Amino acid sequence: MLFVGIDERLSIKDEILLTIRRHVQNGPFRRESGGVLIGRELIEGNLVVVEHMTSPMPRDRRGRHFFDRRDASHVVFYNELNKDECIYAYIGEWHTHPERSPEPSVKDLRNWSRIRGEDFARSVQYHAIAGTYEIGFWAFGPADKQVSLMARRKWGDLGL
Amino acid sequence: MGLQAEFEKFDEKIRLSDSDLEDLRTKRDVLLGKLRDSDDLPVFKEFSQGSYAMHLGVKPTDDREFDIDVALRFQVDKEEADPFEYKQTIYDILKHHTEYGATIKNPCVTVTYKKDGEAAYHVDLVSYAYDDHLDADGQMYIAKGKTGEDSYWEAADPVKLVDYINDAIEEGEKREQFRRVIRYLKQWKMRKFASDGHGEPPSIGITLIAADHFTFHKDNDLQAVIDVSKAIQDMFFTADNDENGDPVYDIQLGLPNSLRFEPGNDVFEKMSEHQKTGFKKKVDKLVRDLDAVAKEPDLAEQCRKLSKIFGNDFSIPSVSETSKKQVPFIPATSSSG
C-alpha cells in the first residue's frame, strides 16, 4: 500500500502487511503482537519503502492488552541488515489491538513520544496499529505530541 | 538514476548497431557481387529494406539468427519477366556459396551462414520488377512463390514503406523514443513467442500500429510503450467462440493506403485465429504487467518487473544504488498497549 506521510510517500510492501495480518487478534485468547518497521529512503521520488520488519520474539512481554518489546533480537536484526552498508532506517513500531478499528492508547502515545525524543536519525516516525478489521498508520512528529492519522485501510481492501 | 535512464540503458543493450552487422554486410556485398557478375541475371539496383533499414533492429536472442534484407530491383518490366526465373537463378548462383546453401522462400531467396558451427546469419534477397523500368517511381512488384507453378508478381512499394516508417514521427527526441518503443516491443516479442511457424506476430504489424498510434511522452518511455501496447490491444476484435465458448480473436491490418501495395493485403494474414488469440492473451498480459510497473513507486521493484517482461538485459539497480545512506538508529525497547 502507498500513502502520503509528512513530506514523503510511504510504500508498505505486501509481505509486511501479510505478516502483520497473520498476527491480528481475531480470537478471544490471542495476545498482542508487535515489532519494528524498517525501510529505505530512495534517492529519487521522495519515497520510503518499508520492506523489513520484526515479529514477536521469545523475550517480549505480551498480554491481551499489551506488547512490550524487550527482546534484543529486534535490534540485532536491524543491525544485521545494516552490516555492510547503512541504508535501512527505523520507520516505527507496529502492534496489534483487540478491536476492529484501532486507535492509539494513552500508553501508545506516551511510547511514541519517548521514541520521537530518542530518534536523532529521522524527525517523523510512522507507527502501525493493526485491528481485526482495519490497519492504521500514524505519523508522530516532527514536533513532539504531533500525531496524525496518515492512512486507515480495511484488510479486505488491500488486495493481499 | 531514474527509470528513464534504465530504459535507455536497456535500449543500448538490445539495439542492433552498425558493428553488429559489419560481418553480415561484408557477406551481403560478396553475394551481391556474385549476382552482378552473373550473365544470367538482368541489371538490378540494390536497396536495403527490413528492420535494420528502419533503425528498428534488435539483437537476436540465442535461438535466432541475425538477418539482413536486401531488395534487388531488377531493371525489367514485369510483363516481360517471369516471377520465378530470377529467384531460381539467384538460387542456382548461390546454392553452393555457403555450407547451408540457399532456400527459395515465398517472398525471397535466403542464404544462411554459420558461426561456430551454428546457423547464425542469413541474408534475404527479395526480387522486384517494375511496371515500366524506365519509370523508377512507377509501380513495383515483388516476386512471390516457391515454385515455377505458384509464382506471381504482387504489387509492392518497399522504398516508400521504409520512408513511411522512417518519417512517421518528427525527427529528434520524439523519433528516438518512437524507435526505442518499437525495439522494446520487438524484444518482448522475441522472448514471448517461438520463432518457428507463424505464432509470432510479424514485426511490421507492430511497427505500423506504433507508427499510427505513438504518442510522445518526454523522458517517459514507460508511458510511451504502455500507449502503443494498448493500441495493439485495441486492434483485436472477437471473431468467434471456440468449442468451450471462449472468444476467438482476430486482428487485421493493411499496409498504409497511401502506399502502392496489392489492395486487400493484411500483415497478419499468415497467423491462424488460434495464434492471434494467443497473441491477444500475451498483449493483455503485457498491458497488465506494464500498468503494474507504472503503479509501483519503488525504482528497483519497477526494474525487477520490467526484467520479467523484457528479459535480463533490463538491469535491476541494487538497493544501495537507489537508497540514501542512513544514520543507524533503533529504540532498544518499546511499550505498546
Side-chain angles (χ1 to χ4, degrees):
Chain A
M1 69 179 272
L2 187 69
F3 66 87
V4 177
I6 308 286
D7 298 331
E8 58 196 355
R9 296 176 305 150
L10 284 93
S11 168
I12 317 291
K13 291 264 162 141
D14 284 355
E15 299 79 60
I16 302 291
L17 296 166
L18 282 164
T19 304
I20 295 176
R21 193 178 65 177
R22 277 201 297 277
H23 288 279
V24 298
Q25 292 173 271
N26 51 8
F29 304 111
R30 297 198 76 172
R31 295 176 296 166
E32 280 197 12
S33 295
V36 297
L37 300 171
I38 299 166
R40 284 183 292 122
E41 279 183 72
L42 299 199
I43 291 168
E44 284 189 28
N46 207 20
L47 181 76
V48 175
V49 180
V50 178
E51 60 185 8
H52 288 290
M53 65 182 295
T54 60
S55 295
M57 306 283 183
R59 290 190 183 144
D60 293 329
R61 300 202 329 236
R62 303 170 63 189
R64 179 71 181 161
H65 293 284
F66 68 92
F67 176 82
D68 288 345
R69 180 164 67 74
R70 291 290 178 274
D71 198 307
S73 308
H74 298 274
V75 176
V76 169
F77 178 82
Y78 173 80
N79 289 336
E80 198 60 28
L81 275 180
N82 280 327
K83 198 174 60 182
D84 296 326
E85 198 176 12
C86 190
I87 54 170
Y88 289 100
Y90 165 80
I91 303 302
E93 302 287 322
W94 72 271
H95 73 285
T96 60
H97 272 186
E99 58 185 343
R100 271 170 64 87
S101 299
E103 288 296 339
S105 65
V106 174
K107 187 179 175 187
D108 293 334
L109 293 171
R110 202 180 301 132
N111 185 46
W112 294 353
S113 173
R114 178 184 63 81
I115 291 170
R116 168 72 206 87
E118 284 179 21
D119 192 343
F120 53 86
R122 285 175 53 84
S123 57
V124 178
Q125 295 78 44
Y126 298 92
H127 303 289
I129 308 180
T132 55
Y133 184 62
E134 290 179 331
I135 181 168
F137 285 84
W138 283 264
F140 200 98
D144 190 19
K145 301 201 169 59
Q146 184 183 337
V147 57
S148 353
L149 176 67
M150 292 284 120
R152 190 188 273 286
R153 300 272 200 285
K154 296 180 183 67
W155 287 112
D157 289 348
L158 284 169
L160 297 173
Chain B
M1 270 204 333
L3 186 63
Q4 181 59 22
E6 296 296 338
F7 262 107
E8 289 178 21
K9 235 164 68 185
F10 169 58
D11 180 58
E12 212 37 55
K13 286 192 203 163
I14 62 168
R15 73 191 293 175
L16 203 53
S17 66
D18 282 349
S19 61
D20 292 321
L21 286 181
E22 210 174 287
D23 211 12
L24 193 48
R25 269 200 303 270
T26 313
K27 289 181 163 67
R28 172 199 64 188
D29 292 342
V30 173
L31 294 186
L32 293 177
K34 275 198 166 185
L35 298 178
R36 256 186 240 292
D37 290 345
S38 165
D39 294 332
D40 299 329
L41 283 175
V43 171
F44 61 83
K45 284 185 185 161
E46 67 189 70
F47 160 74
S48 188
Q49 61 176 42
S51 64
Y52 184 70
M54 300 175 191
H55 311 276
L56 301 173
V58 290
K59 290 180 187 130
T61 48
D62 289 349
D63 55 331
R64 290 165 190 249
E65 297 170 15
F66 282 95
D67 71 341
I68 198 162
D69 291 345
V70 188
L72 307 178
R73 292 176 290 172
F74 289 107
Q75 302 299 299
V76 294
D77 298 348
K78 66 142 176 148
E79 291 307 329
E80 288 153 21
D82 181 277
F84 190 65
E85 189 189 327
Y86 301 147
K87 287 168 82 172
Q88 180 68 55
T89 308
I90 294 167
Y91 172 80
D92 288 339
I93 297 169
L94 300 176
K95 66 183 171 191
H96 298 306
H97 184 73
T98 74
E99 204 174 317
Y100 277 85
T103 317
I104 298 182
K105 294 182 180 169
N106 190 42
C108 61
V109 179
T110 300
V111 181
T112 304
Y113 296 83
K114 68 179 184 178
K115 193 178 185 180
D116 306 328
E118 304 247 339
Y121 311 106
H122 64 260
V123 178
D124 286 334
L125 300 159
V126 189
S127 303
Y128 293 93
Y130 289 87
D131 224 2
D132 171 4
H133 74 277
L134 298 176
D135 175 12
D137 293 327
Q139 178 71 55
M140 287 173 66
Y141 296 86
I142 178 172
K144 285 216 167 161
K146 287 184 188 174
T147 64
E149 286 73 49
D150 71 357
S151 290
Y152 56 97
W153 291 111
E154 184 183 291
D157 204 354
V159 182
K160 291 276 168 47
L161 179 61
V162 170
D163 290 346
Y164 182 89
I165 300 301
N166 279 340
D167 301 337
I169 306 300
E170 79 179 80
E171 206 175 347
E173 58 179 351
K174 293 181 183 171
R175 187 180 288 177
E176 290 306 310
Q177 183 176 65
F178 165 72
R179 288 175 177 171
R180 285 197 302 273
V181 163
I182 294 177
R183 288 192 289 263
Y184 302 153
L185 290 170
K186 288 173 79 167
Q187 178 74 9
W188 165 79
K189 186 165 81 81
M190 247 187 331
R191 282 172 37 78
K192 305 291 176 182
F193 295 86
S195 56
D196 51 342
H198 296 295
E200 179 177 359
S203 291
I204 187 65
I206 284 173
T207 303
L208 284 169
I209 296 172
D212 292 342
H213 297 275
F214 171 77
T215 318
F216 176 64
H217 292 275
K218 191 168 177 57
D219 294 333
N220 192 350
D221 283 9
L222 175 63
Q223 195 52 51
V225 74
I226 288 176
D227 282 1
V228 173
S229 304
K230 286 185 175 166
I232 298 172
Q233 192 179 33
D234 288 345
M235 297 283 297
F236 286 92
F237 57 94
T238 312
D240 202 355
N241 289 81
D242 66 12
E243 60 272 22
N244 302 320
D246 294 325
V248 172
Y249 291 97
D250 200 354
I251 180 169
Q252 294 173 3
L253 181 66
L255 288 154
N257 283 329
S258 56
L259 307 183
R260 294 168 297 177
F261 284 92
E262 197 71 28
N265 67 73
D266 171 16
V267 297
F268 294 111
E269 70 183 352
K270 286 183 185 159
M271 296 178 80
S272 68
E273 282 191 336
H274 176 73
Q275 288 166 334
K276 288 174 174 178
T277 302
F279 177 25
K280 163 88 161 65
K281 286 180 181 159
K282 288 186 163 72
V283 172
D284 288 345
K285 178 162 166 47
L286 174 68
V287 169
R288 274 199 308 276
D289 291 349
L290 288 172
D291 276 338
V293 174
K295 287 201 184 91
E296 171 59 53
D298 177 10
L299 173 65
E301 190 58 36
Q302 284 186 308
C303 293
R304 201 166 295 128
K305 287 179 196 287
L306 286 164
S307 80
K308 282 187 188 148
I309 299 171
F310 296 116
N312 292 337
D313 285 327
F314 207 107
S315 56
I316 304 166
S318 67
V319 288
S320 66
E321 273 175 79
T322 56
S323 310
K324 292 183 190 168
K325 301 284 173 287
Q326 299 291 333
V327 179
F329 165 78
I330 179 171
T333 62
S334 160
S335 301
S336 307

